[in-house]
Amino acid sequence: MKNIQGLGLGLRREFLREVHSDGFLPDWWEIAPENWMDMPFHYREKFEEILSLRPVVAHGLSLSIGSLEPVDRAFLKKMKRFLDGYGIENYSDHLSFTALNGSQSYELLPLSMTKKMVLHVSDKIKEVRDFMQRDLILEIATYYYVPMADMREVDFINEVMHQSGAKLLLDVNNIYVNSKNHDFSPHKFLQELDLTYAAYIHVAGHYEDKELGLIIDSHGTSVRDEVWSLLGDSLRKIDVPVMIERDNYVPDYEAMHQEYLVMQKVVRDARV
Amino acid sequence: MQEYRLQKKLLSMAFDSEKVAKSKGKKAYKFLVYYRFFEVLSNAYPIFFTLVNRARFEKIIYKFMRYGAKSNVMWKVPNEFRKFVKKQKHFREFKFIDDLLWFEWSEVALMMQTKKLQQEGDFSWDHSCVMSSSASIKKLRYRVFDAPHYTQNGEFFLLAYYDRAQSRVFYREISQLLYLFLKILKKRNLMEAVVFMSEQTSEDAVAVKAFFEPTLNELWSIGVLQNLTRSTV
């Protein structure tokens, strides 16, 4: 990724008052652009000050690259204006869909893992990349069921990356969650995944929904030991930036700093 | 294309409370999608949420999801919901519902204002004065801003504004005269507003100015009014 190295954190509005140039700062920030593009003026000054301190990756939520309909050009235009305005070169979103026929779900929904879907998604990725004039990085998403498949998940992801030229956002929490929900080895999955496309790594928290009998990718708890372990495994294969993603039940900035220190140790130990 | 049909089917299942999710994976998505809407709407409309019971709230969320939320950004969803309730004439037994939803939405809308105000100096009749985008006025038929008197019927004129010093939205009941003056100011300049008010009240322009000046001074100082030539994005 351009200008991004080391370890990152997701920038939340809750942190704005707590981030200072002489205090703890991650090596880089990740922001959800949809949460900042209509920024109230009373946040803007601090946001811009924080952006001036460290490089930024924009991690979108609403691209809906997998929905079987054309790319939303109006949305892309707005996104490009925001990214260009702040000089943000790195743009990621999810290998999933969130909307169809103009109706939003605001949830990352699963894609059919088929050859037709590979073609469709790859075409859209190329269109997005051309329009945005930057690489598109796509996150391996969680899925709680597979709508339809004529290939394995790992082959589906490899094929999309290969055909589209997109970069990969390796979310090791999602790989862990998927492996538990769909009963496969996350280590074997990592072995088979083409990591030459990897741009950066996410770690996040999850919880077990006993009623549903599923592990849910909540981004609402601390990172679990099993995910740290899988991160270590990943880093022995590739050397890319890593970050903690936290979207729900966001603790204070100091608590995130403490978790950042854990990540630092895991990364250091893995790279020895 | 089968893949398209499956996407449509998943959304149709997630948006319909009557449709049963047959697998645990689909159940998870049904819950997750619903919860996204529940969270944003219950946060934006806390009074409305306590007025209708949980079952009705759930039902209207499903109807709204089927109707279709269009915005790419979630903070705009409550406004889409407000318009949906009004257009589709839901909750008409609560005669104050449109006023209440406007009142609750206005806090979000004003908090999210993107324009920065750069005030310099004091209020002057020479300014190209307009109402700031951080402020809003509304004529209400119900006293929805004064809990628990939502049902009190009448004619109420409300000024809502984002206070920069205290970082929150304030509401103030204002006179009909001030409401009219500010309403005119949305489309015309200060002097035209004075002339209009002069015609309405049969007072001369000097008297109208003298009457409004202390209030306009105060509204200027708290950022409700701004000089058009000085405003910046």
Side-chain angles (χ1 to χ4, degrees):
Chain A
M1 277 197 302
K2 287 179 185 167
N3 305 321
I4 303 288
Q5 285 177 337
L7 308 180
L9 266 188
L11 178 63
R12 308 283 317 179
R13 282 204 179 142
E14 294 89 329
F15 300 158
L16 285 185
R17 286 171 195 265
E18 298 176 81
V19 178
H20 302 287
S21 57
D22 55 353
F24 159 68
L25 288 170
D27 296 326
W28 52 279
W29 293 109
E30 187 189 76
I31 60 162
E34 290 88 343
N35 293 342
W36 298 96
M37 49 176 46
D38 299 308
M39 195 171 348
F41 66 85
H42 42 278
Y43 288 144
R44 191 176 303 152
E45 213 167 288
K46 186 68 185 178
F47 176 75
E48 289 174 357
E49 180 198 323
I50 291 173
L51 254 59
S52 72
L53 299 171
R54 289 291 186 269
V56 173
V57 175
H59 183 49
L61 305 159
S62 308
L63 180 60
S64 199
I65 197 77
S67 54
L68 284 142
E69 60 189 358
V71 171
D72 181 347
R73 284 275 178 154
F75 170 73
L76 276 191
K77 205 171 165 184
K78 198 173 172 188
M79 180 65 77
K80 187 171 187 307
R81 195 163 55 231
F82 176 80
L83 299 183
D84 288 350
Y86 284 106
I88 300 170
E89 295 180 83
N90 299 291
Y91 174 48
S92 63
D93 204 292
H94 302 80
L95 189 52
S96 63
F97 82 105
T98 54
L100 192 69
N101 300 326
S103 281
Q104 298 283 342
S105 75
Y106 305 107
E107 187 55 49
L108 304 167
L109 301 173
L111 299 184
S112 293
M113 297 171 193
T114 63
K115 292 184 181 73
K116 276 185 187 165
M117 186 58 86
V118 169
L119 286 175
H120 173 78
V121 171
S122 299
D123 284 348
K124 280 178 84 173
I125 290 169
K126 288 173 195 165
E127 189 183 339
V128 170
R129 198 178 46 212
D130 288 349
F131 187 89
M132 300 296 281
Q133 295 171 302
R134 1 171 110 65
D135 281 334
L136 179 61
I137 306 165
L138 286 175
E139 175 179 330
I140 296 175
T142 44
Y143 56 96
Y144 302 113
Y145 82 104
V146 184
M148 185 168 124
D150 57 21
M151 55 174 54
R152 298 180 309 160
E153 183 198 1
V154 70
D155 298 327
F156 176 72
I157 295 167
N158 285 341
E159 202 55 34
V160 168
M161 298 299 137
H162 179 66
Q163 290 205 21
S164 67
K167 305 286 182 210
L168 185 65
L169 167 43
L170 191 67
D171 189 318
V172 293
N173 179 59
N174 290 356
I175 293 174
Y176 177 82
V177 168
N178 289 340
S179 75
K180 285 290 158 193
N181 289 335
H182 303 287
D183 197 24
F184 63 79
S185 160
H187 301 283
K188 188 165 180 276
F189 183 90
L190 270 177
Q191 288 283 359
E192 294 184 271
L193 199 61
D194 188 346
L195 295 173
T196 56
Y197 293 102
Y200 70 110
I201 295 178
H202 269 175
V203 286
H206 59 257
Y207 73 92
E208 189 179 351
D209 188 319
K210 292 203 167 117
E211 203 179 310
L212 281 172
L214 287 169
I215 310 277
I216 303 291
D217 165 36
S218 63
H219 299 179
T221 64
S222 304
V223 180
R224 303 291 173 94
D225 287 345
E226 51 272 26
V227 174
W228 286 130
S229 162
L230 197 57
L231 172 65
D233 192 20
S234 308
L235 291 173
R236 282 183 278 277
K237 299 179 189 355
I238 43 164
D239 184 8
V240 291
V242 186
M243 66 151 293
I244 303 170
E245 201 182 23
R246 185 71 181 254
D247 300 319
N248 298 304
Y249 305 108
V250 180
D252 63 25
Y253 188 53
E254 178 49 33
M256 289 311 297
H257 178 199
Q258 292 308 314
E259 197 167 31
Y260 184 91
L261 295 176
V262 175
M263 172 168 64
Q264 214 165 37
K265 184 175 183 317
V266 172
V267 172
R268 202 170 41 231
D269 291 351
R271 285 175 178 161
V272 167
Chain B
M1 194 180 182
Q2 180 77 351
E3 286 86 344
Y4 173 75
R5 281 197 292 277
L6 288 169
Q7 290 192 348
K8 226 174 138 183
K9 206 170 160 186
L10 172 57
L11 284 179
S12 161
M13 182 276 300
F15 292 166
D16 192 339
S17 59
E18 306 285 310
K19 287 186 179 164
V20 180
K22 286 177 185 157
S23 68
K24 60 184 182 181
K26 287 180 182 169
K27 269 184 197 152
Y29 284 114
K30 197 173 179 90
F31 169 75
L32 290 168
V33 171
Y34 169 77
Y35 191 72
R36 291 268 178 206
F37 283 83
F38 173 80
E39 195 179 26
V40 71
L41 293 174
S42 59
N43 282 332
Y45 296 117
I47 302 171
F48 171 70
F49 180 50
T50 55
L51 270 175
V52 297
N53 63 42
R54 179 101 184 195
R56 282 197 77 190
F57 195 70
E58 182 174 325
K59 212 171 163 185
I60 194 71
I61 288 177
Y62 275 109
K63 276 186 181 167
F64 175 58
M65 289 194 293
R66 282 200 300 283
Y67 179 76
K70 308 292 179 204
S71 177
N72 298 106
V73 289
M74 281 211 87
W75 75 268
K76 290 182 179 171
V77 171
N79 196 32
E80 286 192 45
F81 176 78
R82 181 179 74 88
K83 289 175 180 171
F84 156 77
V85 168
K86 192 173 180 178
K87 193 174 172 190
Q88 301 288 312
K89 302 191 189 311
H90 290 295
F91 299 102
R92 290 304 104 177
E93 72 275 27
F94 299 122
K95 293 189 186 312
F96 53 87
I97 196 69
D98 293 338
D99 281 358
L100 178 66
L101 293 181
W102 173 86
F103 170 66
E104 296 207 86
W105 162 249
S106 66
E107 184 174 10
V108 181
L110 292 172
M111 288 289 290
M112 291 300 291
Q113 270 311 310
T114 56
K115 288 184 180 170
K116 191 176 178 182
L117 194 66
Q118 288 190 337
Q119 292 287 49
E120 281 179 24
D122 298 325
F123 168 76
S124 159
W125 289 103
D126 297 330
H127 283 143
S128 295
C129 204
V130 292
M131 258 190 80
S132 146
S133 58
S134 300
S136 181
I137 49 167
K138 180 89 171 169
K139 180 180 171 183
L140 298 166
R141 289 167 52 229
Y142 291 90
R143 203 174 176 80
V144 290
F145 52 90
D146 186 17
H149 308 292
Y150 314 116
T151 53
Q152 193 184 322
N153 190 221
E155 230 179 25
F156 308 99
F157 302 94
L158 200 67
L159 166 68
Y161 64 97
Y162 178 79
D163 186 293
R164 287 163 295 154
Q166 299 190 55
S167 305
R168 54 169 287 207
V169 174
F170 283 94
Y171 294 90
R172 185 195 295 184
E173 202 178 347
I174 56 174
S175 68
Q176 185 175 9
L177 279 178
L178 182 58
Y179 170 81
L180 276 175
F181 190 91
L182 294 174
K183 198 177 168 192
I184 293 300
L185 214 49
K186 281 182 175 178
K187 292 178 183 169
R188 299 186 196 173
N189 67 32
L190 265 178
M191 290 320 294
E192 285 172 330
V194 168
V195 171
F196 177 83
M197 293 310 294
S198 179
E199 286 165 4
Q200 294 293 308
T201 59
S202 306
E203 296 279 353
D204 63 27
V206 176
V208 169
K209 277 183 169 182
F211 179 80
F212 280 112
E213 191 163 317
T215 309
L216 297 180
N217 255 317
E218 195 244 350
L219 296 184
W220 175 270
S221 71
I222 58 174
V224 169
L225 297 178
Q226 67 178 90
N227 193 353
L228 192 59
T229 55
R230 286 282 176 200
S231 70
T232 57
V233 174

Coordinates of all heavy atoms in Angstrom, one line a residue, chain B residues 185-226:
Chain B
L185 N -36.5 36.0 5.9 CA -35.1 36.1 5.7 C -34.5 34.9 5.0 O -33.3 35.0 4.5 CB -34.4 36.3 7.1 CG -33.2 37.1 7.3 CD1 -33.4 38.5 6.6 CD2 -32.8 37.2 8.8
K186 N -35.2 33.9 4.9 CA -34.7 32.7 4.2 C -34.6 33.0 2.7 O -33.8 32.5 1.9 CB -35.7 31.5 4.3 CG -35.5 30.8 5.6 CD -36.5 29.6 5.6 CE -36.3 28.7 6.9 NZ -37.3 27.6 6.9
K187 N -35.6 33.9 2.2 CA -35.6 34.2 0.8 C -35.2 35.6 0.4 O -34.8 35.9 -0.7 CB -37.0 34.0 0.3 CG -37.4 32.5 0.3 CD -38.8 32.4 -0.2 CE -39.3 30.9 -0.1 NZ -40.7 30.7 -0.2
R188 N -35.3 36.6 1.4 CA -35.1 38.0 1.1 C -34.0 38.6 2.0 O -33.7 37.9 3.0 CB -36.4 38.8 1.2 CG -37.4 38.3 0.2 CD -38.6 39.2 0.2 NE -39.8 38.5 -0.4 CZ -41.0 39.0 -0.4 NH1 -41.2 40.1 0.2 NH2 -42.0 38.4 -1.0
N189 N -33.6 39.8 1.7 CA -32.6 40.4 2.5 C -33.2 41.1 3.7 O -34.4 41.2 3.8 CB -31.6 41.3 1.7 CG -32.4 42.5 1.2 OD1 -33.3 43.0 1.8 ND2 -32.0 43.0 0.0
L190 N -32.4 41.6 4.6 CA -32.8 42.2 5.8 C -33.8 43.3 5.6 O -34.9 43.4 6.3 CB -31.6 42.8 6.6 CG -31.0 41.9 7.7 CD1 -29.8 42.7 8.3 CD2 -31.9 41.6 8.8
M191 N -33.5 44.2 4.7 CA -34.3 45.4 4.5 C -35.7 45.0 3.9 O -36.7 45.5 4.2 CB -33.6 46.4 3.6 CG -32.5 47.2 4.3 SD -32.8 47.6 6.0 CE -34.1 48.8 5.8
E192 N -35.7 44.0 3.0 CA -36.9 43.5 2.5 C -37.8 42.9 3.6 O -39.0 43.0 3.6 CB -36.7 42.5 1.4 CG -36.2 43.1 0.1 CD -35.8 42.1 -1.0 OE1 -35.3 41.0 -0.6 OE2 -35.9 42.4 -2.2
A193 N -37.1 42.2 4.5 CA -37.8 41.6 5.6 C -38.5 42.7 6.5 O -39.6 42.6 7.0 CB -36.9 40.7 6.5
V194 N -37.7 43.8 6.7 CA -38.2 44.9 7.5 C -39.5 45.5 6.8 O -40.5 45.7 7.4 CB -37.2 46.0 7.7 CG1 -37.8 47.3 8.2 CG2 -36.1 45.5 8.6
V195 N -39.4 45.7 5.5 CA -40.5 46.2 4.7 C -41.7 45.3 4.8 O -42.9 45.7 5.1 CB -40.1 46.5 3.2 CG1 -41.4 46.8 2.4 CG2 -39.1 47.6 3.1
F196 N -41.5 44.0 4.7 CA -42.6 43.0 4.8 C -43.3 43.1 6.2 O -44.5 43.2 6.3 CB -42.0 41.6 4.6 CG -43.1 40.5 4.7 CD1 -43.9 40.2 3.7 CD2 -43.2 39.9 5.9 CE1 -44.9 39.2 3.8 CE2 -44.2 38.9 6.1 CZ -45.0 38.6 5.0
M197 N -42.4 43.2 7.2 CA -43.0 43.2 8.6 C -43.7 44.5 8.8 O -44.7 44.6 9.6 CB -41.9 43.0 9.6 CG -41.2 41.6 9.6 SD -42.4 40.2 9.6 CE -43.1 40.4 11.3
S198 N -43.2 45.5 8.2 CA -43.8 46.8 8.4 C -45.2 46.8 7.8 O -46.2 47.3 8.4 CB -42.9 47.9 7.6 OG -43.5 49.1 7.7
E199 N -45.4 46.2 6.6 CA -46.7 46.0 6.0 C -47.6 45.1 6.9 O -48.8 45.4 7.0 CB -46.5 45.4 4.6 CG -45.9 46.3 3.6 CD -45.5 45.6 2.3 OE1 -45.6 44.4 2.2 OE2 -44.9 46.3 1.5
Q200 N -47.0 44.1 7.4 CA -47.8 43.2 8.2 C -48.3 43.8 9.5 O -49.4 43.5 10.0 CB -47.0 41.9 8.6 CG -46.6 41.1 7.4 CD -47.8 40.4 6.8 OE1 -48.6 39.7 7.5 NE2 -48.0 40.5 5.5
T201 N -47.5 44.7 10.1 CA -47.8 45.2 11.4 C -48.3 46.7 11.4 O -48.7 47.2 12.5 CB -46.6 45.2 12.3 OG1 -45.5 45.9 11.7 CG2 -46.1 43.7 12.5
S202 N -48.3 47.3 10.2 CA -48.7 48.7 10.1 C -47.8 49.6 10.9 O -48.2 50.7 11.4 CB -50.1 48.9 10.5 OG -51.0 48.1 9.7
E203 N -46.6 49.1 11.2 CA -45.6 50.0 11.9 C -44.6 50.5 10.9 O -44.4 49.8 9.9 CB -44.8 49.2 12.9 CG -45.6 48.6 14.1 CD -45.9 49.6 15.2 OE1 -45.4 50.7 15.1 OE2 -46.7 49.3 16.1
D204 N -44.0 51.6 11.1 CA -43.0 52.1 10.1 C -41.7 51.3 10.3 O -41.5 50.6 11.3 CB -42.8 53.6 10.2 CG -42.2 54.1 11.5 OD1 -41.5 53.3 12.2 OD2 -42.5 55.2 11.9
A205 N -40.8 51.4 9.3 CA -39.6 50.6 9.3 C -38.7 50.9 10.5 O -38.1 50.0 11.0 CB -38.8 50.9 8.0
V206 N -38.7 52.1 10.9 CA -37.9 52.5 12.1 C -38.4 51.7 13.3 O -37.6 51.1 14.1 CB -37.9 54.0 12.4 CG1 -37.2 54.4 13.7 CG2 -37.3 54.8 11.2
A207 N -39.7 51.7 13.5 CA -40.2 50.9 14.7 C -40.0 49.4 14.5 O -39.7 48.8 15.5 CB -41.7 51.2 14.7
V208 N -40.1 48.9 13.3 CA -39.8 47.5 13.1 C -38.4 47.2 13.5 O -38.1 46.2 14.2 CB -40.2 47.1 11.7 CG1 -39.7 45.6 11.4 CG2 -41.7 47.1 11.4
K209 N -37.5 48.0 13.0 CA -36.1 47.8 13.3 C -35.8 47.8 14.8 O -35.1 47.0 15.3 CB -35.2 48.8 12.6 CG -34.9 48.6 11.1 CD -34.0 49.7 10.7 CE -33.4 49.4 9.3 NZ -32.5 50.4 8.9
A210 N -36.4 48.8 15.4 CA -36.2 49.0 16.9 C -36.7 47.8 17.6 O -36.1 47.3 18.6 CB -36.9 50.3 17.4
F211 N -37.8 47.2 17.1 CA -38.5 46.1 17.8 C -37.6 44.8 17.7 O -37.4 44.1 18.6 CB -39.8 45.8 17.2 CG -40.6 44.6 17.8 CD1 -41.2 44.8 19.0 CD2 -40.6 43.4 17.1 CE1 -41.9 43.7 19.5 CE2 -41.2 42.3 17.6 CZ -41.9 42.4 18.8
F212 N -37.0 44.6 16.5 CA -36.3 43.3 16.2 C -34.8 43.4 16.6 O -34.2 42.4 16.8 CB -36.5 42.9 14.8 CG -37.8 42.2 14.5 CD1 -38.7 42.9 13.7 CD2 -38.1 41.0 15.0 CE1 -39.9 42.3 13.4 CE2 -39.3 40.4 14.7 CZ -40.2 41.0 13.9
E213 N -34.3 44.6 16.6 CA -32.8 44.7 16.7 C -32.2 44.0 17.9 O -31.2 43.2 17.7 CB -32.4 46.2 16.7 CG -30.9 46.3 16.6 CD -30.4 47.7 16.2 OE1 -31.0 48.3 15.3 OE2 -29.4 48.1 16.7
P214 N -32.7 44.1 19.2 CA -32.1 43.3 20.3 C -32.1 41.8 20.0 O -31.1 41.2 20.3 CB -33.0 43.7 21.5 CG -33.7 44.9 21.1 CD -33.9 44.9 19.6
T215 N -33.2 41.3 19.5 CA -33.3 39.9 19.2 C -32.3 39.4 18.2 O -31.6 38.4 18.3 CB -34.7 39.5 18.8 OG1 -35.6 40.0 19.7 CG2 -34.9 38.0 18.7
L216 N -32.3 40.2 17.1 CA -31.4 39.9 16.0 C -29.9 40.0 16.4 O -29.1 39.1 16.0 CB -31.6 40.8 14.8 CG -33.0 40.7 14.2 CD1 -33.1 41.7 13.0 CD2 -33.3 39.3 13.7
N217 N -29.6 40.9 17.3 CA -28.3 41.0 17.9 C -27.9 39.7 18.6 O -26.8 39.1 18.4 CB -28.3 42.1 18.9 CG -27.5 43.3 18.4 OD1 -26.5 43.2 17.8 ND2 -28.1 44.5 18.6
E218 N -28.9 39.2 19.4 CA -28.6 38.0 20.1 C -28.5 36.8 19.2 O -27.6 35.9 19.3 CB -29.7 37.8 21.1 CG -29.4 36.8 22.2 CD -30.3 35.5 22.2 OE1 -31.3 35.5 21.5 OE2 -29.9 34.5 22.9
L219 N -29.4 36.7 18.2 CA -29.4 35.6 17.3 C -28.1 35.6 16.4 O -27.5 34.5 16.1 CB -30.6 35.6 16.3 CG -32.0 35.4 17.0 CD1 -33.1 35.4 16.0 CD2 -32.0 34.2 17.9
W220 N -27.6 36.8 16.2 CA -26.3 36.9 15.5 C -25.2 36.4 16.3 O -24.3 35.6 15.9 CB -26.1 38.4 15.1 CG -24.8 38.7 14.5 CD1 -23.6 39.0 15.2 CD2 -24.4 38.7 13.2 NE1 -22.6 39.2 14.3 CE2 -23.0 39.0 13.0 CE3 -25.1 38.5 12.0 CZ2 -22.4 39.1 11.8 CZ3 -24.5 38.5 10.8 CH2 -23.1 38.9 10.7
S221 N -25.2 36.7 17.6 CA -24.1 36.3 18.5 C -24.1 34.8 18.8 O -23.0 34.3 19.0 CB -24.2 37.1 19.9 OG -25.3 36.6 20.6
I222 N -25.2 34.2 18.7 CA -25.2 32.7 18.9 C -25.1 31.9 17.5 O -25.2 30.7 17.5 CB -26.4 32.2 19.7 CG1 -27.7 32.6 19.1 CG2 -26.2 32.7 21.2 CD1 -28.9 32.0 19.8
G223 N -25.0 32.6 16.4 CA -24.8 32.0 15.1 C -26.0 31.5 14.4 O -26.0 30.8 13.4
V224 N -27.2 32.0 14.9 CA -28.5 31.7 14.2 C -28.5 32.5 12.9 O -29.0 32.0 11.9 CB -29.7 32.0 15.1 CG1 -31.0 31.9 14.3 CG2 -29.7 31.0 16.3
L225 N -28.0 33.7 13.0 CA -27.9 34.5 11.8 C -26.4 34.6 11.3 O -25.5 34.5 12.2 CB -28.4 35.9 12.1 CG -29.9 36.0 12.4 CD1 -30.2 37.5 12.7 CD2 -30.8 35.5 11.3
Q226 N -26.2 34.8 10.0 CA -24.9 34.9 9.6 C -24.9 35.9 8.4 O -25.9 36.1 7.7 CB -24.2 33.6 9.2 CG -24.9 33.0 8.0 CD -24.2 31.7 7.6 OE1 -24.5 30.6 8.0 NE2 -23.2 31.8 6.8

